[in-house]
């Protein structure tokens, strides 16, 4: 039996409904099953429904901390469309690069993003 691939999904969440976020996560799961030709994929549940503690001043940092903890358990991190405009996603991407976590980036909608990574790949930034 093949090993289950644990996938962390990094996705922008600001100004999006729960339904939009969860539907995108399902789309990612289906895309990865198709692309990787396996059903042995587990999405790490990084969608938080509970509120942060009342003492929390910076809600985004609280949720980012929880996300990074979950990212540490991932085989792969998948970055959804628009990740490059979300502070939390940018930090998660930096962590992946710093700790050599395999990343899968949604190129399906942005030629600019593809160009950015092609240019950076030539400089060696992506493999450091």
């Amino acid at each position: 039996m093949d090993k289950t691939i644990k996938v962390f999904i990094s996705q922008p969440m600001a100004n999006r409904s729960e339904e939009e976020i969860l539907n995108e996560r399902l789309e990612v799961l289906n895309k990865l099953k198709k692309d990787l030709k396996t059903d042995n994929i587990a999405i790490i549940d990084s969608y938080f429904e509970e509120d942060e503690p009342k003492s929390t001043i910076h809600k985004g940092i609280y949720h980012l901390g929880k996300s990074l903890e979950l990212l540490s358990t991932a085989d792969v991190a998948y970055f959804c469309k628009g990740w490059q405009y979300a502070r939390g996603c940018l930090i998660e991407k930096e962590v992946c690069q710093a700790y050599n976590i395999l990343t899968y980036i949604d190129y399906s909608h942005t030629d600019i993003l593809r160009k950015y990574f092609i240019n950076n790949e030539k400089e060696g930034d992506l493999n450091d």
Side-chain angles (χ1 to χ4, degrees):
M1 186 164 139
D2 291 332
K3 176 187 179 235
T4 298
I5 301 167
K6 295 180 287 182
V7 179
F8 177 87
I9 298 175
S10 180
Q11 67 186 136
M13 295 192 183
N15 303 315
R16 299 181 69 199
S17 71
E18 177 180 6
E19 182 179 3
E20 290 173 313
I21 292 166
L22 296 177
N23 283 341
E24 184 174 45
R25 296 173 78 75
L26 183 59
E27 288 172 15
V28 168
L29 175 61
N30 291 331
K31 177 179 177 34
L32 288 173
K33 283 181 177 183
K34 180 180 174 190
D35 289 355
L36 301 176
K37 297 176 178 47
T38 183
D39 287 331
N40 293 333
I41 296 173
I43 301 297
I44 296 169
D45 186 9
S46 59
Y47 178 72
F48 308 116
E49 297 186 56
E50 72 275 0
D51 291 332
E52 56 284 324
K54 291 184 192 260
S55 63
T56 302
I57 297 171
H58 302 284
K59 295 177 183 180
I61 296 172
Y62 173 81
H63 291 289
L64 178 61
K66 291 183 72 152
S67 291
L68 292 176
E69 184 178 346
L70 293 172
L71 178 57
S72 74
T73 68
D75 296 307
V76 176
Y78 184 101
F79 289 82
C80 294
K81 176 185 171 193
W83 70 270
Q84 70 275 30
Y85 305 112
R87 291 176 296 187
C89 295
L90 287 167
I91 293 168
E92 291 163 352
K93 179 69 170 74
E94 287 292 321
V95 169
C96 287
Q97 285 183 264
Y99 289 91
N100 297 315
I101 297 171
L102 183 64
T103 59
Y104 193 114
I105 301 198
D106 184 349
Y107 289 117
S108 63
H109 302 286
T110 51
D111 290 330
I112 294 169
L113 184 60
R114 181 178 292 127
K115 182 179 177 189
Y116 170 79
F117 277 102
I118 290 170
N119 289 343
N120 280 342
E121 189 174 59
K122 290 176 186 172
E123 297 169 15
D125 292 345
L126 292 179
N127 297 321
D128 294 342

